Amino acid sequence: MTKKMKVTPYDVRGKVNYDKLINEFGVKKLSEGDLKRIERLAGELHPYLRRGIFFAHRDLKRVLDEYEKGNKFFLYTGIGPSGPIHLGHIGTWRLVKWLQDRFDTDLWFQFTDDEKFLYGNKGFKEIRRWTKENMIDIIALGFNPKKTHFLVDTLHAGIMYPEAIKVAKKITFSTIKASFGFNDSNNIGSIFYTAMQTVPIFLPNILRNENRPCLIPLGVDQDPHFRISRDVVEKLGHKKPAILHAKFMPALRGPEGKMSSSLTNSAILMTDSPKEVERKIKKYAFSGGQKTIAEHRQKGGNPDIDVSFQWLRYFEEDDERLNQIREDYKSGRLLTSELKEILIKKINAFLKVHQERRKKAKDKINDFLFKTRSLYKIDV
Ligand code: TRP
């Protein structure tokens, strides 16, 4: 049964209709013109932009206008470290890396250990462990160590909290209730949390005495936080951030909801072995093929709902090859089992490199952690 669509930072359900979401959230669809402009400035267009995996934005034009005038933006994104990184997380970050390389920008990466402590039932120790594990995966994706700064909410509280209270003072409980569906029984930390996620929009400018625009690539479920932030930061005298919205990579088991590491059979983890990848895809990947081979040869499969094909859109960079696979599947020349084999190979090749880089990344965490003293001194 199809569940009703719901998209908030704390709940994604049902089959997501992205056009409807554009209206509901009040964001803009990325236009051909936007893509052409990015291509002109970047020298190429990332497949995730060509393929509509990033599909919407807020205020992108303003950031690009300033870029053309010589005021470079910085990138900001984040992760709530409550479990292992899986393939569903990294789509957004692969585009972030491309943006960092192409535009030669700083990236501020927030680890919201406070958020995951306040919202789930995991203990703080376990969350600290995931914070470190997640850092290893993020470093292994290849971000520039000179230009990437990890902010950990509880670790960098000394520089974040003085800014977070200024944000918090401008947000009412009723706004939070309306945005996230909270009620009087939610804990008071979770009510405050949006203030912490707002701070990295302007903290880099405060730390460096600059006035750069901020661009936030994110999974579209995070937009509600920033709808609140955008109004507030302006009231505090900072620029509104621009946002680039990504669709969710579908869960292995089917097109509804989003991938989650707590449902291990709906996700492939960055640390999964080749055998595990093969097992999960063969057993669980939702198929758009027909019930029997004979029927499949005759009617063909449906790549639009087939999770293996949808995942290939993230991992097969060659447009021509991807199109060929699509046509072969639609015509019935390619069977679901063969399509799955193609995907298994692609993912295992990707993970092999990633897992090698993971080993080296373990020693690099310290290079990525933002180092500072509190800006506030007490003069006595
Ligand atoms: N709340 C996000 C999560 O649960 C983490 C996050 C913090 C984030 N800042 C962000 C995500 C900025 C995208 C952009 O994963």
Side-chain angles (χ1 to χ4, degrees), residues 9-10 76-80 110 112 115-116 193 197 200 216-219 222 225-226:
Y10 302 106
Y76 158 40
T77 196
I79 174 73
Q110 182 181 28
T112 59
E115 175 186 24
K116 291 299 156 173
Y193 169 72
Q197 187 157 325
I216 315 173
L218 45 66
Q222 293 296 315
H225 283 298
F226 294 113

Side-chain angles (χ1 to χ4, degrees), residues 375-380:
L375 296 177
Y376 295 78
K377 294 197 193 83
I378 301 196
D379 297 316
V380 281

